[in-house]
Amino acid sequence: MATDLTSEVLDALSSQDQILSTDVFPSTPSVSVKSALDRLGSREMVIYETIDREEAVLTPEATQIASDGSHEAKVFEAVRAAMDGLKIGDLPGIVGKESAKVGQGKAFKQGWIKKDKAGLLVSSIESISDTTREQLQIIQKSRSHPDTKVIAELRKRKLVTLQKVISFKIAKGPRYANKMVKEETDLTSEMLASGAWKDLSFKPYNFNSLGAITPTGALHPLNKVRHEFRQIFFEMGFEEMPTNKYVESGFWNFDALFVPQQHPARDLQDTFYISDPSQADRPRADLPVDPALSVPGRKSAATELPAKKLDYQQYWRDVREVHEKGKYGSIGYRYPWKEDEALRLVLRTHTTAISAYMLHKLAANPRPARYFSIDRVFRNESVDATHLAEFHQVEGVIADFDLTLGGLIGFMETFFGKMGVRNLRFKPAYNPYTEPSMEIFGYHEGLGKWVEIGNSGMFRPEMLEPMGLPKAMRVYGWGLSLERPTMIKYGVKNIRELLGHKVDLNFIETNAAVRLEKE
C-alpha cells in the first residue's frame, strides 16, 4: 500500500506546488501517509511538514441531537403542544426517558417552561432557539468552534470529544519527478566492468539512522553493585568466604553464634526448616574435596590447610556447655540444650553461619585475618515493598589481637566512606552473638533523612572461645543488605521490581553501570 501511495503523492503534486494530506487522502491513516513521505523524502523528491492539531468529534448522542434537536428543545415542544399543561409523569412517554431526564432541567434553567398552580408543566415563551443543536451542527461541519467555552461546556455534557489529528503539508523537493526511479543500494563488480553505474541512481547513505539493536545478555543491577562491593573488600585486603551452602544446620546457623534455642528467630514464622532430610550430622571435618567449599577460578580462604587438627567433638561439647551451664567467664543461658534442635536443617537466615565456620577453622592457626561474603539468605517474612523472603547479605569480619570498639567505629567510617557514605551515626543495639553491638545510620541526601544502612559489633567470648581462638583475639563483624543500596542507586521504590517474577527485563537490559562514590 505504501508503494501505491507514493505514486499518488507524486501525481497530486504534478498539478500543484503544495498539498495538504487531509485534503488529498482524507480517509488514509496518517501512519501510511508518513511512510510514503519518508520514502520520498529520503530521495529528496518531496519535503513535508507535520501538523498536529486537535479536532472536536461528536459523540453518537450529539450526532442524534444535531439531527433531531436537543433534549431541552424536545421537552419545550412537548409542553407547548399540550395546550392545557402537561403532567411531569407523562413527559417520558412523549419525548423518551433520556430526553425527559436531561431536557427538563435544562428547559427550566433556560426559562422555557414552568409549573402552574396545578403542578402542570406549561411553556413560558412562544418560541426558542435550539442553541445546543446549532453549536453541534457547526462542530459537525468544521470539526471546531470559534468559542472555546462552547467546546468545554459540550465536553462536560459528554457530547463532544477531542482527538489528535496528524496531517502533513507536502511540497515538491529538489529532485521531484512524476515517477520513482529505482535506486541501487550496492555497487557491484559487474556495474564497474560494464560501466552501467554511470547511468544508475544510487541510494544515498543515511548516517542519521539508528543501527539495529543487537540482542545481548545483561548484568542484573544487583550483580553490578555486588561487583563494586567485592572490589572494595579486595582493595582493603579481604578474602572471600565460600557461601555455596544455602542449607545449614541449626548448630552453625544459631548455636555456634550463641543464639539460644528459645530465641524467636528460630521459630517457624521466622525461619524456613527443611523437611526431608530434617536433620544434619554433627559438625565434622570437611571431606577431602568438597565442591560446596570452592570458588571456581580462584583460591578460597576455606582451602587453606590448618596448622593443627581441629577437634570437632570438643567444639560440640563446649558449645553445649556454654549454653547450658556457662563457661569462659559466662554464666550461659542455663536451659536444657537439645541436640535435635541443633541438628535441624534450615535455609540459612544469615551468612554469619559461614563466618562462624571460617573462624573455627582459623582457630587451628590463629592469626590476623579479614573475610567477607556476599550471598543469598532466607527468612520467613511477609513480602511487601521493602521485604522479600530471600535477599542478599553483605558481611565482613576482621580477626586480630587487642581490637577495640573505637577501632570498629573508625573502620566503619573508612569502609562506608569508600561507598560514598561519609556521614555516619552509631546507635547501641542488641545481638545474641555480639557485645557491644551497634546499628549504623547514614544520612541519605535524596531522602533527606537518616536511614539504617547496617549492623555491627564485636563477637562475644561465648562464641569465639569454644572455637579455640585465643582470649586476646577479638573479631569485628558487620553486615548490610545488598538490595537497599541497589534500590537507592537505581531509584527503585518496590523491592519486588528488583528481584522476583515482577522484574521488568527492559529495566535489566537498559540500566546504567553503577559507580559508587569511592574516595
Side-chain angles (χ1 to χ4, degrees), residues 166-190:
I166 300 175
S167 60
F168 306 94
K169 185 187 292 184
I170 311 166
K172 294 178 180 178
R175 300 178 62 184
Y176 170 78
N178 287 335
K179 292 184 180 180
M180 282 189 63
V181 179
K182 181 182 178 183
E183 293 182 325
E184 301 292 338
T185 56
D186 295 308
L187 179 63
T188 64
S189 58
E190 289 81 3

Side-chain angles (χ1 to χ4, degrees), residues 134-276:
E134 294 171 357
Q135 292 170 343
L136 292 175
Q137 287 175 339
I138 293 172
I139 294 172
Q140 193 174 36
K141 292 179 181 179
S142 63
R143 297 295 184 96
S144 64
H145 196 280
D147 190 349
T148 56
K149 293 183 179 179
V150 171
I151 298 290
E153 179 62 28
L154 293 175
R155 287 185 67 191
K156 288 182 181 179
R157 295 180 62 180
K158 297 183 180 180
L159 297 176
V160 167
T161 59
L162 295 179
Q163 67 178 20
K164 185 177 181 180
V165 177
I166 300 175
S167 60
F168 306 94
K169 185 187 292 184
I170 311 166
K172 294 178 180 178
R175 300 178 62 184
Y176 170 78
N178 287 335
K179 292 184 180 180
M180 282 189 63
V181 179
K182 181 182 178 183
E183 293 182 325
E184 301 292 338
T185 56
D186 295 308
L187 179 63
T188 64
S189 58
E190 289 81 3
M191 294 177 186
L192 293 173
S194 64
W197 63 271
K198 299 177 183 179
D199 301 321
L200 296 175
S201 177
F202 290 90
K203 184 177 181 180
Y205 285 106
N206 182 4
F207 294 102
N208 296 321
S209 64
L210 298 176
I213 297 176
T214 304
T216 60
L219 288 176
H220 193 282
L222 283 172
N223 284 337
K224 295 182 179 182
V225 177
R226 179 179 182 272
H227 174 75
E228 290 295 310
F229 272 111
R230 291 181 77 239
Q231 295 307 114
I232 290 173
F233 278 115
F234 288 140
E235 288 172 7
M236 300 182 75
F238 282 76
E239 298 176 72
E240 188 167 15
M241 296 184 282
T243 55
N244 305 46
K245 289 184 177 180
Y246 286 171
V247 178
E248 288 284 1
S249 68
F251 177 83
W252 287 113
N253 200 77
F254 297 116
D255 296 273
L257 303 179
F258 198 53
V259 178
Q261 294 184 344
Q262 300 86 1
H263 196 279
R266 302 179 74 153
D267 293 341
L268 286 173
Q269 61 264 31
D270 292 314
T271 302
F272 291 108
Y273 286 93
I274 307 300
S275 59
D276 187 18

Side-chain angles (χ1 to χ4, degrees), residues 71-73 75-76 79 88 91 95 97-115 121 157:
H71 300 302
E72 54 267 33
V75 169
F76 173 76
V79 172
I88 295 177
L91 191 58
V95 300
K97 290 183 179 180
E98 185 66 21
S99 292
K101 179 181 177 182
V102 178
Q104 187 180 161
K106 291 285 184 182
F108 272 117
K109 186 176 180 180
Q110 296 287 347
W112 295 350
I113 62 174
K114 62 182 181 179
K115 284 184 181 181
L121 297 176
R157 295 180 62 180

